[in-house]
Amino acid sequence: MNRDQGKLRGWCVVFGVLVALTVCTEAMASYRKTLRQHHRRGEFFNFDSMHSELVWDAVLLTPALREARVEREAALRHLGDDEAVGLPSEWYSTGTAFYLSVFIPKEAGDLKNGEWRLELVDDQGRRHAPDSLSELPISGVDRRLFPFITRWSKTYIVRFPAAVSPPLRLSLYGVLARSTLQWR
């Protein structure tokens, strides 16, 4: 190989890396924009005890968010479009579903023990109880996809049987706190 071929090969490598970075950056920007549209955060801080009683994040699971997540996860795992793996079955459901990241102090219980109650309110004011609540393990990919997850968080998928589109409200009630998130 002569010197000119070596330079050309070097420029091809640099160009390939730049194209890959551009594609990854565009996928990340698209995912972040979609996540911002579907994500809400609520916090309750007790000034008497000087403790956080509740910190929670909810992501409304829509087809657009599911598609953006698959694309972003494929980019994180360095997979091609044909290699991209679908989402876990918990992400698909009829009705309305949310991905939750929740911090509740140990003494206040957790979502699965019945000390807390979730409720979905539609634009007509109808209240809906969850059909199911599944706790999910947190992977390294989840931590990259959802930057609001902390070391103290637990994550869940909550499903409501009714198909509700925004505007809607999701409320979390407990002995120590109450918080409502809204999607318009």
Side-chain angles (χ1 to χ4, degrees), residues 115-128:
E115 294 179 15
W116 291 83
R117 183 172 59 95
L118 280 160
E119 180 179 75
L120 178 65
V121 180
D122 63 23
D123 62 344
Q124 304 296 314
R126 292 183 297 251
R127 298 174 183 283
H128 306 275

Side-chain angles (χ1 to χ4, degrees), residues 55-112:
V55 179
W56 70 309
D57 294 87
V59 178
L60 177 61
L61 301 182
T62 65
L65 182 79
R66 289 179 184 107
E67 182 179 323
R69 182 196 162 157
V70 168
E71 289 174 7
R72 180 65 183 130
E73 187 171 344
L76 285 171
R77 294 180 184 268
H78 307 287
L79 301 173
D81 291 340
D82 57 331
E83 298 173 299
V85 179
L87 295 171
S89 61
E90 294 91 3
W91 279 70
Y92 295 97
S93 70
T94 58
T96 305
F98 295 88
Y99 178 82
L100 303 179
S101 170
V102 181
F103 162 75
I104 299 170
K106 286 183 181 179
E107 62 271 9
D110 68 17
L111 293 184
K112 298 212 46 139

Side-chain angles (χ1 to χ4, degrees), residues 143-181:
R143 291 185 188 284
R144 295 288 307 270
L145 290 169
F146 305 106
F148 46 80
I149 294 175
T150 67
R151 67 171 30 140
W152 302 282
S153 299
K154 290 185 178 184
T155 57
Y156 305 88
I157 294 284
V158 60
R159 290 187 196 96
F160 295 87
V164 177
S165 56
L168 58 88
R169 294 187 317 261
L170 181 64
S171 296
L172 182 57
Y173 304 97
V175 173
L176 299 176
R178 173 188 174 187
S179 180
T180 299
L181 307 176

